[in-house]
Amino acid sequence: QVQLVESGGGLVQAGGSLRLFCAASGRTFRNNARVGWFRQAPGKEREFVAAVKWSSDTTYYADSVKGRFTISRDLAKNTVALQMNSLKPEDTAIYYCASGLWYSGAPYASASYDRWGQGTQVTVSS
């Protein structure tokens, strides 16, 4: 059973960059997997950030991060990275990695994912 572990969170000033990583332990990501990033800010609902289809490298982004964030996968290391540039205070949240079958539903729907990491905190100061 795959377990997801996030890393790379931290504190950064507005305009700065961070790179998050999602590593799968226990087994490799399946060829039919889709790996996504979600975030949840205090007092707000969890929201979709980005996702990548493991087999084809097809990517999906929320409008709020398009052009600033880039999701990528590393087949050799069995990891997914989220490069976050031009960070804004409103990007402050706990960021979660999730995986599921790509045909389980829409990439932006949390119900499409059945494995979740524990989350990593990202704080952007103004």
Side-chain angles (χ1 to χ4, degrees), residues 4-125:
L4 306 179
V5 179
E6 302 96 337
S7 61
L11 173 64
V12 65
Q13 288 189 330
S17 299
L18 280 175
R19 189 175 177 88
L20 304 183
F21 292 93
C22 175
S25 64
R27 59 175 294 177
T28 59
F29 286 117
R30 295 163 291 186
N31 284 335
N32 55 5
R34 183 169 57 209
V35 181
W37 286 95
F38 288 75
R39 66 187 182 186
Q40 187 166 19
K44 294 188 177 181
E45 293 187 354
R46 186 178 299 182
E47 65 173 359
F48 170 74
V49 175
V52 61
K53 194 176 175 181
W54 188 255
S55 60
S56 67
D57 203 26
T58 302
T59 57
Y60 312 85
Y61 294 95
D63 288 342
S64 59
V65 306
K66 204 171 290 184
R68 299 189 297 124
F69 292 10
T70 303
I71 189 171
S72 61
R73 82 218 197 291
D74 187 321
L75 298 177
K77 295 182 179 179
N78 201 40
T79 59
V80 172
L82 183 68
Q83 177 67 41
M84 306 185 295
N85 298 328
S86 302
L87 283 162
K88 305 174 182 180
E90 51 263 44
D91 294 318
T92 295
I94 299 175
Y95 283 69
Y96 298 90
C97 176
S99 71
L101 300 175
W102 68 265
Y103 48 81
S104 293
Y108 51 80
S110 59
S112 300
Y113 302 84
D114 57 1
R115 296 284 185 268
W116 293 83
Q118 81 288 352
T120 185
Q121 177 71 47
V122 171
T123 302
V124 184
S125 63

